Amino acid sequence: MAKKLTIKDIAALAGVGKSTVSRVLNQDSKVSAETREKIQAIIQAHNFTPSQSARAMRGQGNPMIGIIVTRLSSNAENQALSAMLPLLYAANCEPIIVESQMEMHRLQEHLKFFQQRRVDGVILFAFSGLEEQDLQGWEKKLVVIARHYPQFSCVYYDEQRAVTLLLEKLLQQGHQKIAYLGVQESDMTTGYLRHQAYLRFCQDHQLTPNAVLGKLSYDSAYQLASAVDFSQISAIVCATDTLAIGVVKWLQEHQITHISVAGIGNNPLLRFLFPQTLSVDLGFTTAGKQAVKQLFDLLENREIKARCIDCGLV
């Protein structure tokens, strides 16, 4: 008996990705007429019909996309996620959202689950401790956000530029004594890269560094603020807007008004509570849209690529 063709086989014969075949099967109007006719001709020639079990597992044939966030409470990741979902829905994709909690064993469990469910693609928010080899075997169907791995399609942020933009702006405003409140360097991006950017800027501009590092939370920033001698500085750069909120709250409670506070993240809560606080938009919304685009390109067997998202003052 001849082997029954699969969607993957049809895609190979047509020279397209599996997602394109799925779109044709689901009558997605976004597929070009030429591509649609080619795929339909192959389907008819081979008398292809998707198995009922596969269609049931895939929500009547819609492509399934797994999304692994680090924390559902993350403002940054929620901004990116909010940009992804409309694009996935528009492409008739079925997103499955899970949380790694930045724990390797949870991540591996999620990837195993996605493999069992035969998802079409995965978007993964990376975290410190996750190395490229931990994702081996997923190169053809996974896009990484927030880290740059050479063998994977990636979307990452310009961490060092974000810190530099804030410091340059504060210098232009006349500040010469600028402290830094950040995250422990065990965190590669938010912690190490941003702190090192601050130290390098201080060295390049003959500024005296004054840094305090802790955890990424409002409470941690509020507690760490008490360790900063605000009588010796005029401004403080926070590694995230979350930390900036904690610092501003501490300053207000202690009636200290001469300090300019800056953060990174363009957090809506910071803008609402403390609209005068300087912030950098890292491009979370752009990253979400770009990740979906790169995933679709990847599933169409296009070139694996990396994109660093531009950041800017807000």
Side-chain angles (χ1 to χ4, degrees):
M1 180 181 292
K3 176 185 174 183
K4 183 177 179 180
L5 264 63
T6 65
I7 289 179
K8 183 177 181 180
D9 296 326
I10 298 296
L13 289 170
V16 299
K18 290 191 299 181
S19 61
T20 299
V21 178
S22 295
R23 291 191 187 108
V24 171
L25 292 171
N26 287 293
Q27 300 180 348
D28 188 338
S29 61
K30 293 184 179 180
V31 179
S32 69
E34 180 181 356
T35 300
R36 182 184 303 279
E37 290 173 3
K38 179 191 295 186
I39 293 173
Q40 288 175 338
I42 294 172
I43 288 173
Q44 292 172 5
H46 293 273
N47 195 27
F48 170 79
T49 55
S51 69
Q52 291 301 312
S53 60
R55 290 179 64 80
M57 286 185 66
R58 293 176 178 272
Q60 298 303 315
N62 290 347
M64 287 197 301
I65 303 299
I67 302 174
I68 307 178
V69 301
T70 62
R71 304 181 316 279
L72 290 170
S73 60
S74 168
N75 170 70
E77 294 180 15
N78 278 324
Q79 287 186 50
L81 192 60
S82 295
M84 290 179 201
L85 294 179
L87 298 177
L88 293 175
Y89 294 143
N92 294 319
C93 294
E94 300 288 346
I96 303 176
I97 304 170
V98 295
E99 184 184 48
S100 71
Q101 297 180 352
M102 294 182 282
E103 295 181 3
M104 189 64 67
H105 72 94
R106 291 186 186 276
L107 172 64
Q108 295 301 335
E109 288 173 359
H110 294 324
L111 290 176
K112 183 178 180 180
F113 169 72
F114 287 157
Q115 187 174 39
Q116 292 171 343
R117 291 296 303 271
R118 297 173 62 192
V119 300
D120 294 270
V122 176
I123 295 175
L124 165 67
F125 289 85
F127 52 88
S128 296
L130 175 64
E131 301 301 333
E132 192 169 29
Q133 59 266 27
D134 297 320
L135 302 174
Q136 187 174 4
W138 288 89
E139 292 86 352
K140 298 298 184 181
K141 60 192 307 183
L142 183 146
V143 173
V144 179
I145 293 182
R147 295 287 298 275
H148 183 201
Y149 300 132
Q151 299 303 314
F152 283 83
S153 181
C154 301
V155 181
Y156 59 101
Y157 306 110
D158 198 341
E159 312 283 355
Q160 299 179 67
R161 179 59 180 159
V163 174
T164 300
L165 283 173
L166 292 175
L167 290 166
E168 288 176 344
K169 183 65 175 180
L170 291 171
L171 271 186
Q172 291 172 6
Q173 294 176 349
H175 297 284
Q176 291 290 323
K177 297 181 179 180
I178 308 171
Y180 178 83
L181 194 147
V183 179
Q184 295 166 340
E185 288 199 341
S186 56
D187 181 305
M188 176 56 66
T189 53
T190 307
Y192 177 78
L193 291 178
R194 298 185 194 182
H195 182 217
Q196 290 301 309
Y198 167 75
L199 295 177
R200 189 176 303 110
F201 188 92
C202 288
Q203 182 178 15
D204 292 343
H205 294 81
Q206 291 79 51
L207 303 179
T208 302
N210 181 356
V212 179
L213 306 180
K215 297 180 180 179
L216 179 53
S217 70
Y218 302 122
D219 290 339
S220 175
Y222 182 86
Q223 297 297 328
L224 287 173
S226 62
V228 179
D229 186 354
F230 287 102
S231 67
Q232 299 299 313
I233 65 171
S234 62
I236 184 168
V237 169
C238 300
T240 72
D241 282 355
T242 295
L243 299 180
I245 291 172
V247 169
V248 175
K249 177 178 171 61
W250 190 93
L251 290 171
Q252 287 189 344
E253 290 184 356
H254 291 78
Q255 299 182 342
I256 299 175
T257 60
H258 73 283
I259 302 296
S260 292
V261 180
I264 297 173
N266 194 22
N267 188 320
L269 183 60
L270 177 65
R271 295 201 310 271
F272 176 74
L273 294 175
F274 313 115
Q276 299 306 313
T277 305
L278 184 65
S279 184
V280 166
D281 183 355
L282 270 181
F284 300 131
T285 297
T286 302
K289 294 177 180 178
Q290 181 66 25
V292 171
K293 180 182 183 302
Q294 289 184 202
L295 181 62
F296 287 165
D297 286 346
L298 195 63
L299 299 180
E300 296 285 355
N301 297 317
R302 293 174 186 154
E303 182 181 358
I304 294 176
K305 58 185 176 182
R307 165 81 182 275
C308 181
I309 302 299
D310 294 334
C311 59
L313 293 170
V314 292

